[in-house]
C-alpha cells in the first residue's frame, strides 16, 4: 500500500507514571494489525500513531490503550438535530457518526432530539459531524450550550405550523370525499375523475414530506417508517389512478380519500408527538433558563453591568433584592436570604452573610449581597448539574437494547408480512384484488416502529428531568435500571445516618484530672481532621481550655493518632491501637468502655507512659430523617445494612436505635469497598450510600453509588446518583423514582410491542374468515398515529410523579 494511504492519529492518555508505562502502551499499539508506528510521549501524555485506516479504526486503538490499563482522554459534545421521526432515524444517525474516524461512542435520544458524541478532537471535529448529519438529510441545529435555543425553537414552531396546515388540508378534503363516496349524488363528470381532480393537489401537498423523507432513507440504504408509509399511501393513490382510467384495475379501486386521510393521520400523529416531545425536556430548559445573562461587578470604584461570560474569578459582584446570583462565590459583605429551591428543592430560603457560599442561578430575596466569584462558566454548580442532566438524558438503559434489536428487523419483517398477506389472500385464497390491496395498505400503515423508538428515551428524559427538579441527580440510564433491581442498601454511618458532628458526653480520667486529660487529648487532636477530633476541640474551646504545643504527630489509619505533648508521648485511639502498643486495658477500663458502647457512644482511649490515662466518650446524633427513611426501605422489601469503623458493641447500639438489623463494624475506611464486594459475591445487588467525598472507592464498587450532598456544596462527580440535599428521604426517593421510571419504560415497551403484535395480524385479515372483521386503512392510520402519542403521553405523566418518600402527607 502506498505511503500516502496511511493516516496519522494522536491519542491523549491518562494514568502514565514512568517510561515503562509509555513502553507498554507502545507495545500494545504495535501489536495491532494495521499500526506501522507508535510513539508515546510521557511528558505530553500523548500517543502518536501511523496506521492503515482500511485495517484499523481509531476506536480499536483507544481500546488497546484502555486494555493496557490506562485511560483515554476524549471530548464529549451534545448535538441538536432536527427532522428525526422514528427509531430508524436514530439508527441512521448513530451509524453515520460512528463511521467517522475518531468517534468512539454515539447515543441519539429521539425524544430530546439530541446526539451525545464522545470523540477524539485531534482526529475529527464538529464540522465533520455536521456534514455527516446534513448529508443524511437531517437538520444540524448546533451544539448544546451555544446560543441556538432561539433557532431551535423557531425551527420547531415552523415544523409544527407546517404539520398543522397539512392536517387541516388533509382532513379538510379527505373527509368530504369520504362522505361523497357513500352519497348518491350526480356530478357533471364521473365520480372517479372528480375525486382525482379534487384530491391530487392536497395529496401532493400533505404527503410531500413523507415521500421526501422516504427517498432520503432509500438513498442512505435504509428502510424506515417513511418508506413503509409512503409505500402504503403510494399504492393507495396509484391504484386509484389506475382504476380511474381502467388500466389493469376497475373504477371500484377508489382510494383517493383513503390515501389523503392516511397522509393526514401521519401528520396528526407527528404533530402531537412533536408537541409532546417538546414537553419531555422542560426540566433541562428550566435549568438553562436559570442561568443569568448579565452580572453587576465592581471595577475600580464603579459598579457596571457586564455579560456573564465576561465575569472573571476574583471579581466582586453585587446582587440586589430580586436579582439572580450570576455565578458561584463567597459573600464578603451584606446579608440576605437566598432562595435556593431551584437547585436544592428546599423551599425555605437560606440566610447568607460574610463567609457563606452562594450559587449561580439562585435568587437573592431581601438584602444587598456583595460576593467574590470562585467559579464561573462551566465550573459552576448549575452548569455542572445541567451537563450531568444532559448526559444522563442521552444515556440508554440496557433494556433499550430490546427495542434497538427489534427496530433493526422491524421494517423488513413488516414489508414481508404485507407482501405475503397480499399473495396469500389474492393468489391462494382467491379473494378480490380490492381486498388484497386493502390488506396490503392496512398492514403498511398500521405498523409503527416509532412507539418502540420512543418508549425508552421519553421516559428516561422525563424521569431524569423530574429527578433534577426533586434534587436527585441520576447520572445515567444504567443507574435507573440497576436501582430497580437492588436487593441491599448499605449505609455508611458517620455523616450519612448520623449528623457527623459528634459531641463529648463523658470524660473519665484515671491518671490525672478530667481537665488535664481533655487538654492533652485536644492538644494532640488539633493536628487531625477526624470528626471525633473536632468534638474534643469543640469541648476544650467551650470549657476555655488553652491548648499546648505538640510535636511528632502521627496517625494510624482507622486506629488513632499520637503526638508528643508536655514531654509525654500521648496515644489516642481505639483498642486496636493500644493492643499494637502492648498497653493492656484493665477489667475496670473494659467495663467502662463497654458501658459507654452499649449506649451507642464511641470510647476514645487516651494513654501515655505505657498506661491508660483515661477515656473520653463521644456520641454522634442521628439525622431527623434516618429512622423514617430506614423504615420506608424495609417496607420496600430491601435489605438494609450499616457499615462503620466503630466497634461492634457501639455499632449494634446505634443500629438498634435506627432499626437496622445487619451491621458491618470495625471496618477501616480503605476496606469499605471490599465489604461491598463481599456482599456482591454473595449474590446481592448493592447500593452504597455515603458522603461522596470520603467514600469514593465504596461508591465506585457498589452496583449503584448514592452520594449524599449538603445543599449547594455537592460533589457532582461522585456516585451514580447524587442527592443535592443532605436528606436520607432523598435516597429512598431516588430508588422509588428509578422503580417508577423503569416501570414506565416497561409499560411503554409492552404497549409498543402489544400494539404491533395485535393490530398487524388484524390488518392482515386473520379475523376475516371467522368473524368477517377487516381493518380499513383509515382506521389503521388513526391507530398508528395514536400509538406513539400514547407512549409519549405515558412518559409525560412522570412529570407529576412525587416519590412517596417526598410526599409531605406521609
Amino acid at each position: 500500500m502506498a505511503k500516502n494511504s496511511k493516516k496519522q492519529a494522536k491519542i491523549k492518555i491518562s494514568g502514565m507514571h514512568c517510561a515503562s508505562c509509555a513502553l507498554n502502551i507502545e507495545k500494545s499499539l504495535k501489536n495491532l494489525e494495521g499500526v506501522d508506528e507508535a510513539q508515546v510521549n510521557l511528558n505530553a501524555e500523548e500517543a502518536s500513531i501511523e496506521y492503515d485506516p482500511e485495517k484499523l479504526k481509531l476506536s480499536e486503538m483507544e481500546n488497546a490503550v484502555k486494555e493496557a490499563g490506562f485511560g483515554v482522554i476524549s471530548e464529549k459534545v451534545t448535538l441538536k438535530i432536527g427532522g428525526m421521526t422514528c427509531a430508524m432515524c436514530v439508527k441512521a444517525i448513530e451509524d453515520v457518526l460512528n463511521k467517522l474516524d475518531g468517534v468512539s461512542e454515539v447515543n441519539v435520544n429521539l425524544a430530546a432530539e439530541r446526539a451525545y458524541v464522545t470523540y477524539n478532537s485531534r482526529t475529527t471535529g464538529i464540522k465533520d459531524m455536521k456534514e455527516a448529519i446534513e448529508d443524511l438529510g437531517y437538520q444540524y441545529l448546533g451544539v448544546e450550550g451555544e446560543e441556538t435555543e432561539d433557532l431551535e425553537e423557531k425551527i420547531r414552531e415552523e415544523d409544527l405550523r407546517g404539520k398543522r396546515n397539512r392536517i387541516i388540508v388533509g382532513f379538510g378534503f379527505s373527509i368530504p370525499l369520504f362522505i361523497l363516496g357513500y352519497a348518491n349524488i350526480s356530478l357533471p363528470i364521473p365520480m372517479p375523475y372528480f375525486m382525482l381532480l379534487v384530491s391530487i393537489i392536497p395529496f401532493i401537498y400533505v404527503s410531500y414530506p413523507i415521500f421526501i423523507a422516504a427517498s432520503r432513507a432509500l438513498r442512505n440504504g435504509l428502510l424506515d417508517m417513511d418508506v413503509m408509509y409512503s409505500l402504503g399511501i403510494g399504492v393507495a393513490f396509484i391504484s386509484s389512478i389506475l382504476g380511474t382510467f381502467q388500466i389493469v384495475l376497475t373504477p371500484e379501486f377508489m382510494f383517493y380519500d383513503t390515501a389523503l386521510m392516511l397522509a393526514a393521520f401521519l401528520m396528526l400523529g407527528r404533530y402531537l408527538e412533536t408537541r409532546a416531545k417538546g414537553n419531555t425536556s422542560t426540566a433541562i430548559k428550566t435549568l438553562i433558563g436559570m442561568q443569568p445573562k448579565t452580572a453587576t461587578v465592581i471595577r475600580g470604584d464603579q459598579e457596571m453591568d457586564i455579560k456573564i461570560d465576561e465575569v472573571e474569578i476574583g471579581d466582586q459582584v453585587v446582587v440586589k433584592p430580586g436579582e439572580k446570583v450570576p455565578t458561584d462565590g463567597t459573600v464578603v459583605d451584606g446579608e440576605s436570604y437566598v432562595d435556593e429551591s431551584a437547585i436544592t428543592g428546599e423551599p425555605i430560603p437560606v440566610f447568607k452573610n460574610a463567609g457563606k457560599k452562594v450559587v449561580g442561578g439562585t435568587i437573592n430575596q431581601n438584602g444587598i449581597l456583595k460576593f467574590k466569584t470562585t467559579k464561573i462558566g462551566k465550573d459552576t454548580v448549575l452548569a455542572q448539574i445541567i451537563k450531568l442532566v444532559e448526559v444522563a438524558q442521552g444515556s440508554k438503559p440496557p433494556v433499550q437494547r430490546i427495542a434497538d434489536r427489534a427496530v433493526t428487523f422491524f421494517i423488513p419483517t413488516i414489508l414481508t408480512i404485507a407482501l405475503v398477506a397480499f399473495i396469500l389472500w389474492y393468489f391462494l385464497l382467491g379473494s378480490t384484488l380490492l381486498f388484497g390491496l386493502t390488506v396490503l395498505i392496512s398492514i403498511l400503515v398500521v405498523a409503527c416502529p416509532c412507539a418502540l423508538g420512543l418508549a425508552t428515551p421519553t421516559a428516561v428524559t422525563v424521569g431524569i428531568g423530574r429527578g433534577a427538579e426533586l434534587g436527585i441527580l441520576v447520572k445515567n440510564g444504567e443507574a435507573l435500571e440497576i436501582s430497580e433491581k437492588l436487593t441491599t442498601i448499605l449505609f455508611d454511618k458517620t455523616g450519612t445516618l448520623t449528623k457527623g458532628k459528634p459531641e463529648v458526653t463523658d470524660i473519665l480520667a484515671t491518671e490525672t484530672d478530667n481537665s488535664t486529660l481533655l487538654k492533652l487529648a485536644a492538644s494532640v487532636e488539633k493536628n487531625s481532621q477526624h470528626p471525633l477530633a473536632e468534638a474534643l476541640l469543640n469541648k476544650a474551646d467551650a470549657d476555655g481550655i488553652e491548648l499546648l504545643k505538640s510535636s511528632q504527630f502521627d496517625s494510624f489509619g482507622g486506629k488513632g493518632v499520637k503526638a508528643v505533648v508536655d514531654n509525654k508521648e500521648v496515644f489516642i485511639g481505639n483498642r486496636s491501637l493500644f493492643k499494637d502498643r502492648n498497653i493492656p486495658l484493665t477489667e475496670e477500663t473494659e467495663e467502662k468502655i463497654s458501658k459507654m458502647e452499649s449506649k451507642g457512644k464511641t470510647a476514645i482511649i487516651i494513654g501515655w507512659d505505657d498506661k491508660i490515662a483515661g477515656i473520653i466518650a463521644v456520641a454522634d446524633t442521628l439525622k431527623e430523617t434516618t429512622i423514617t427513611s430506614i423504615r420506608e426501605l424495609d417496607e420496600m422489601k430491601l435489605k438494609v445494612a450499616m457499615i462503620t469503623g466503630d466497634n461492634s458493641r457501639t455499632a449494634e447500639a446505634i443500629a438498634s436505635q435506627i432499626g437496622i438489623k445487619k451491621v458491618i463494624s470495625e471496618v477501616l475506611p480503605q476496606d469499605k469497598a471490599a465489604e461491598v464486594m463481599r456482599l456482591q459475591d454473595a449474590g446481592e445487588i448493592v447500593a452504597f450510600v455515603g458522603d461522596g467525598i470520603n467514600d469514593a472507592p465504596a461508591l465506585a464498587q457498589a452496583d449503584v453509588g448514592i452520594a449524599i450532598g449538603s445543599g449547594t456544596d455537592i460533589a457532582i462527580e461522585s456516585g451514580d446518583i447524587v442527592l443535592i440535599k443532605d436528606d436520607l428521604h432523598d435516597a429512598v426517593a431516588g430508588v422509588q423514582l428509578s422503580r417508577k421510571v423503569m416501570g414506565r419504560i416497561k409499560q411503554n415497551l409492552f404497549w409498543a410491542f402489544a400494539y404491533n403484535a395485535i393490530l398487524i395480524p388484524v390488518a392482515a385479515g386473520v379475523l376475516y374468515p371467522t368473524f368477517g372483521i377487516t381493518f380499513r386503512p383509515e382506521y389503521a392510520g388513526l391507530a398508528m398515529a395514536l400509538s406513539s402519542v400514547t407512549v409519549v403521553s405515558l412518559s409525560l405523566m412522570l412529570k407529576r410523579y412525587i416519590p412517596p418518600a417526598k410526599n409531605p402527607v406521609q
Side-chain angles (χ1 to χ4, degrees), residues 293-485:
K293 300 286 189 287
T294 61
T296 303
V297 300
I298 298 173
R299 295 274 168 90
D301 294 327
Q302 290 187 323
E303 289 184 10
M304 58 176 67
D305 290 337
I306 62 173
K307 289 182 180 179
I308 194 68
D309 54 10
E310 293 174 7
V311 177
E312 297 175 358
I313 291 176
D315 273 345
Q316 291 217 347
V317 180
V318 177
V319 190
K320 293 166 185 173
E323 291 182 347
K324 287 181 181 176
V325 177
T327 67
D328 296 0
T330 305
V331 177
V332 293
D333 191 27
E335 55 183 44
S336 180
Y337 283 90
V338 175
D339 180 1
E340 296 182 340
S341 59
I343 300 278
T344 66
E346 184 60 58
I348 301 169
V350 181
F351 180 70
K352 303 288 183 181
N353 58 6
K356 297 282 182 68
K357 293 181 180 179
V358 289
V359 168
T362 56
I363 301 171
N364 183 29
Q365 292 205 319
N366 59 334
I368 296 176
L369 290 175
K370 188 188 292 181
F371 72 91
K372 185 178 180 181
T373 57
T374 55
K375 290 179 182 176
I376 57 173
K378 62 182 175 59
D379 295 323
T380 63
V381 168
L382 179 58
Q384 288 183 67
I385 290 173
I386 290 169
K387 186 68 178 173
L388 184 149
V389 173
E390 284 173 351
V391 172
Q393 288 182 336
S395 64
K396 292 183 181 180
V399 71
Q400 172 69 12
R401 294 175 198 143
I402 301 169
D404 287 345
R405 278 198 299 270
V407 164
T408 304
F409 303 105
F410 187 86
I411 306 293
T413 303
I414 297 305
L415 292 174
T416 303
I417 291 171
L419 190 60
V420 168
F422 174 76
I423 293 169
L424 184 69
W425 281 109
Y426 183 61
F427 290 103
L428 300 181
L429 298 178
S431 73
T432 64
L433 182 58
L434 178 63
F435 183 86
L437 276 176
T438 302
V439 166
L440 177 72
I441 295 166
S442 294
I443 293 171
L444 290 174
V445 298
V446 79
C448 185
C450 299
L452 282 171
L454 288 166
T456 301
T458 52
V460 167
T461 300
V462 178
I464 286 175
R466 180 58 179 150
E469 290 171 349
L470 295 169
I472 302 164
L473 305 179
V474 182
K475 282 195 171 178
N476 53 60
E478 191 173 359
L480 283 173
E481 186 160 340
I482 297 172
S483 294
E484 188 215 16
K485 300 173 183 175

Side-chain angles (χ1 to χ4, degrees), residues 34-152:
V35 171
D36 286 355
E37 185 60 42
Q39 290 185 336
V40 177
N41 186 320
L42 180 61
N43 292 328
E45 295 185 311
E46 191 174 74
S48 301
I49 309 150
E50 185 178 296
Y51 70 104
D52 182 349
E54 292 187 7
K55 293 182 179 179
L56 198 63
K57 288 188 68 177
L58 184 68
S59 58
E60 293 174 87
M61 292 185 276
E62 289 179 345
N63 286 335
V65 173
K66 290 174 185 175
E67 285 170 10
F70 301 92
V72 172
I73 300 173
S74 299
E75 292 189 37
K76 294 186 178 183
V77 67
T78 302
L79 307 177
K80 303 173 187 177
I81 300 172
M84 293 189 291
T85 56
C86 70
M88 294 307 295
C89 301
V90 170
K91 187 175 185 303
I93 293 169
E94 286 183 345
D95 286 348
V96 77
L97 290 177
N98 271 316
K99 285 176 185 174
L100 293 175
D101 207 14
V103 171
S104 53
E105 186 181 4
V106 182
N107 276 325
V108 175
N109 186 316
L110 177 60
E113 298 182 306
R114 299 286 189 272
Y116 304 87
V117 187
T118 303
Y119 69 105
N120 185 327
S121 60
R122 294 160 187 77
T123 307
T124 193
I126 306 297
K127 185 183 176 185
D128 301 315
M129 299 177 208
K130 176 179 181 289
E131 289 173 356
I133 290 165
E134 289 178 340
D135 287 346
L136 278 178
Y138 298 97
Q139 295 167 314
Y140 171 83
L141 304 179
V143 174
E144 191 76 78
E146 290 180 348
E147 291 295 323
T148 57
E149 307 301 326
D150 292 341
L151 172 64
E152 187 181 7

Side-chain angles (χ1 to χ4, degrees), residues 139-194:
Q139 295 167 314
Y140 171 83
L141 304 179
V143 174
E144 191 76 78
E146 290 180 348
E147 291 295 323
T148 57
E149 307 301 326
D150 292 341
L151 172 64
E152 187 181 7
E153 191 60 30
K154 182 183 175 184
I155 289 173
R156 183 171 171 272
E157 287 301 323
E158 286 178 359
D159 180 48
L160 284 171
R161 189 161 52 248
K163 285 185 171 74
R164 186 189 62 216
N165 292 342
R166 285 181 165 84
I167 291 164
I168 293 168
V169 170
F171 288 119
F173 281 88
S174 63
I175 291 173
L177 287 175
F178 178 76
I179 295 169
L180 191 63
Y182 288 94
N184 190 16
I185 298 174
S186 59
L187 297 169
I189 58 173
M191 180 69 77
Y193 289 97
F194 177 79

